[in-house]
Every structure is written in C-alpha cells, then in structure tokens.
Amino acid sequence: MIDKRTEQIKELLPVYFIMGSPNCNGRDPVNVLEEAIEGGITLFQFREKGEKALTGNEKVRLAERLQRVCQENHIPFIVNDDLDLAIELDADGVHVGQDDLEAGIVREKFSNKILGVSTHTIEEAAQAIKDGADYLGLGPIYPTSSKDDAEEVAGTEIIERFRDHGITLPIVGIGGITSENAEQVIQAGADGVAVISAIASSPNVEEAAKSFLRANNK
Ligand code: 3NM
C-alpha cells in the first residue's frame, strides 16, 4: 500500500538539486541556489564534499545561509552525510551513502525527518527499507565527474531491476543526469532525478533547472 508519506516524498523528488561550494565555479552558492529555486527545483541537498570543501564553522555558516533560502521558498533542506549538522540546524532530512553513518542510526536519532539512502544492490535496498529510508538514491546512472569514489556506471537498468524486484519506495536516479537523458531515468521507474553539475555548473542555472522540470513532465 502506498501511504501518504510515500506520496509526499515522491512529490519532492522530481528535480532534486544537490550542491556545495566546490560545485559552484567560484560563485556564491546562495545565488546559485536562489536561481535554481527560481527555475523550479523541488528539493535541495547540501553536500559540502571534495577538494576545497569548507569545514568546521565555515561549513556551518554556509549551511545556515542555504537553509534560510530554502525556508523562505518552502523547499525542504537535506544535509548530506552529517547528522550532527542536520541536528544542529534542525534540517528537514539527511542523506547517507553506504560508507557513511548507518541509516538505522540516523533514523533513530533524527526520527520523523526525511531519510535518503544511496544503494547499489537489492540487498542494500532491503536493509535501507528496514532502516526506515524514505527514498533510495540509485547511481551512478551515467558517468559523472562530481564524485571521486563513484561506483561503476549502472545505467537506467538498475532502476528497472529494483522495480522488477518489487521495490516501491520512492527512487531518485543520480550521476551524470542532464535534461537530455532525464526522461529515460523517469521512464525506467524513478520518481525524480538528483543533479549536481548540470544545474550548478550551468551558465544559466535557472534555465537549467527549468529544463529538468520540462524533461520530467511535471
Ligand atoms: N552520488 P552529477 S553520483 C553525489 O552514484 C553523487 O551515488 C552518486 O553529480 C552515486 O549530477 C553523484 O554532476 C554525483 O553527475 C552526481
């Protein structure tokens, strides 16, 4: 049975924008986020990772500024792999990967919040569902240069395989997704696409976000 929470989560996933300062080509991430929201993104994840990523107080200050923009625009604010920061800011949710803090622990300490888990196998998905995940991130669907330790390219087949296995939890595809290939990701069974570079690195962030909305027919 599809419950109300599942439906609400699905509504958030069509254009899931992810970024941190290293993804913004030297631009102020706050401006990038504002433009992306103007273009119609449906969910935001703060992911301050990689070379030149901010740490400590600087990371917290940036998170606060981005969270404020999200709050003003009624876009839920998700924190990548930093439960302490999510708790400190009372964020709307946390996203964890397989090498991050265990999803079950996040669910316990941050109950009633949105919990996303990156999974690559049916077994990992089953565990994430048991742990109380609200949605699964599947990827990389296409080659990506935004994640150094990305797994092998999975293609849209991974989404079809998870659906064929009876997994009904909301799914978002991630990795190398552009407005040109987003439709295939949705057609394979995903509820949305998670995107870093095709939005954050675009010379026209607002238009880039809009092009995903069109691709998803939402
Ligand atoms: N996770 P872009 S791929 C953050 O496979 C992330 O789990 C991935 O960035 C996974 O849209 C990825 O620029 C990077 O390809 C996505």
Side-chain angles (χ1 to χ4, degrees):
M1 208 174 81
I2 306 287
D3 63 17
K4 192 162 164 249
R5 186 177 175 93
T6 303
E7 282 307 312
Q8 285 168 344
I9 298 288
K10 279 187 181 181
E11 296 283 310
L12 296 176
L13 297 179
V15 188
Y16 187 177
F17 181 40
I18 301 175
M19 64 87 163
S21 61
N23 308 120
C24 295
N25 292 337
R27 297 191 58 203
D28 185 340
V30 167
N31 294 338
V32 173
L33 178 58
E34 284 170 343
E35 289 169 23
I37 290 175
E38 201 60 41
I41 62 161
T42 51
L43 186 60
F44 175 68
Q45 182 189 122
F46 175 57
R47 181 177 182 274
E48 189 66 18
K49 275 195 173 165
E51 223 186 310
K52 299 194 185 149
L54 301 176
T55 55
N57 264 343
E58 283 189 325
K59 179 181 174 185
V60 178
R61 295 289 91 80
L62 175 59
E64 285 172 341
R65 292 174 66 220
L66 294 171
Q67 183 184 30
R68 200 167 314 125
V69 173
C70 282
Q71 285 169 340
E72 284 165 4
N73 292 279
H74 310 290
I75 299 290
F77 177 83
I78 309 295
V79 173
N80 181 284
D81 183 25
D82 191 338
L83 179 61
D84 291 341
L85 178 64
I87 290 172
E88 184 181 337
L89 298 186
D90 193 26
D92 299 296
V94 168
H95 185 97
V96 290
Q98 294 297 315
D99 300 328
D100 304 336
L101 191 60
E102 259 178 53
I105 293 175
V106 178
R107 175 48 83 218
E108 216 171 89
K109 297 198 173 168
F110 207 45
S111 51
N112 292 323
K113 299 286 190 170
I114 298 169
L115 172 60
V117 183
S118 295
T119 61
H120 308 94
T121 64
I122 301 290
E123 290 71 30
E124 288 174 358
Q127 184 63 47
I129 292 166
K130 214 163 113 192
D131 288 340
D134 289 304
Y135 72 88
L136 302 176
L138 302 191
I141 304 298
Y142 302 110
T144 177
S145 47
S146 302
K147 184 173 162 72
D148 294 338
D149 56 349
E151 306 258 328
E152 242 177 80
V153 170
T156 52
E157 295 76 24
I158 188 172
I159 301 169
E160 285 164 7
R161 192 149 46 79
F162 275 45
R163 289 304 189 210
D164 288 347
H165 254 268
I167 292 171
T168 55
L169 205 67
I171 286 177
V172 69
I174 186 164
I177 300 178
T178 65
S179 56
E180 282 78 39
N181 61 29
E183 203 182 326
Q184 295 156 41
V185 180
I186 301 298
Q187 271 168 8
D191 299 288
V193 292
V195 179
I196 299 180
S197 53
I199 295 178
S201 304
S202 170
N204 189 334
V205 169
E206 183 180 335
E207 269 308 311
K210 266 188 196 151
S211 68
F212 279 99
L213 268 187
R214 284 193 291 269
N216 286 7
N217 260 337
K218 296 269 173 180

